[in-house]
Amino acid sequence: MTAPDPAERIAVGRITRAHGVHGFVAVLPLTDVAERFQSGSELLVGTIGDRTLVVAERRGQEHRPLVRFEGVPDRTAAERLAGEYLFVPASASPDLPEGEFWPYQLLGLKVVTDAGSDLGTVREILRNVANDIWVARSDDGVETLVPALNDVVLSVDMPGGVITVAEIEGLTVPERSEARARRPAP
């Protein structure tokens, strides 16, 4: 497997630590596709996904697999993998239903409010317990944190490259200075 461009790959897991003395590692899955960690699966590893690892054996529970890779014979070699992310090419992702998208596909899309304000482009996706947060950054460096909620995100036009969000004072647009001036002092 050749290393795809970083924008064309998806993180499917993170190696958390070595497990035992026979080269196994504990993997935190970042995917719902459990087969990613089955024997024979190829995964890219490293900050630029420049190395391919082949799963030799899988043990453990589905939500916390223990994996041994070919060429990782012992604990010492496994320890060197701790903290590394495991990737697959984006083309290896299953197709989604119409109107749905993978988070990586949002990177670089323009974000505008329903009133026409330009908030910049999506530069980062923050994973949160309740919902994802999309970080939009304007050309002048102003960041807007957009919660990925149905009440806030009105539409995602993938072919057009535009996300439309509700204009919400204090959330997607700054509060008006008049409103701040009228607030009573604490």
Side-chain angles (χ1 to χ4, degrees):
M1 182 182 324
T2 59
D5 181 297
E8 297 175 1
R9 64 188 179 151
I10 301 170
V12 295
R14 183 172 167 271
I15 299 171
T16 59
R17 60 181 171 79
H19 179 85
V21 296
H22 300 288
F24 279 89
V25 294
V27 174
L28 173 65
L30 302 174
T31 178
D32 293 330
V33 182
E35 294 79 29
R36 299 272 191 221
F37 308 108
Q38 296 300 330
S39 296
S41 296
E42 291 185 354
L43 299 167
L44 301 168
V45 68
T47 54
I48 60 172
D50 58 342
R51 293 183 300 159
T52 301
L53 292 177
V54 177
V55 177
E57 187 178 350
R58 182 198 183 283
R59 295 182 185 164
Q61 301 171 1
E62 192 165 313
H63 67 280
R64 192 60 142 190
L66 300 174
V67 176
R68 187 176 57 78
F69 295 105
E70 293 177 6
V72 181
D74 55 29
R75 182 175 185 88
T76 302
E79 285 174 342
R80 286 191 286 261
L81 294 172
E84 294 281 357
Y85 281 88
L86 300 168
F87 300 94
V88 295
S91 61
S93 297
D95 291 332
L96 291 174
E98 181 70 30
E100 293 191 25
F101 44 83
W102 296 106
Y104 77 89
Q105 293 174 309
L106 300 172
L107 298 174
L109 294 185
K110 183 177 180 177
V111 181
V112 297
T113 68
D114 55 352
S117 298
D118 184 352
L119 301 179
T121 58
V122 177
R123 302 296 177 109
E124 187 177 0
I125 308 290
L126 302 175
R127 303 293 297 201
N128 197 353
V129 175
N131 54 271
D132 287 354
I133 297 173
W134 304 343
V135 180
R137 189 173 305 126
S138 65
D139 290 337
D140 57 358
V142 175
E143 283 189 350
T144 303
L145 303 180
V146 179
L149 300 170
N150 289 336
D151 292 344
V152 178
V153 179
L154 303 177
S155 67
V156 177
D157 177 7
M158 295 300 288
V162 177
I163 298 170
T164 304
V165 299
E167 187 164 288
I168 301 171
E169 189 174 317
L171 183 63
T172 58
V173 293
E175 291 183 26
R176 293 186 180 100
S177 58
E178 306 86 41
R180 283 189 292 233
R182 284 184 272 171
R183 276 196 202 128

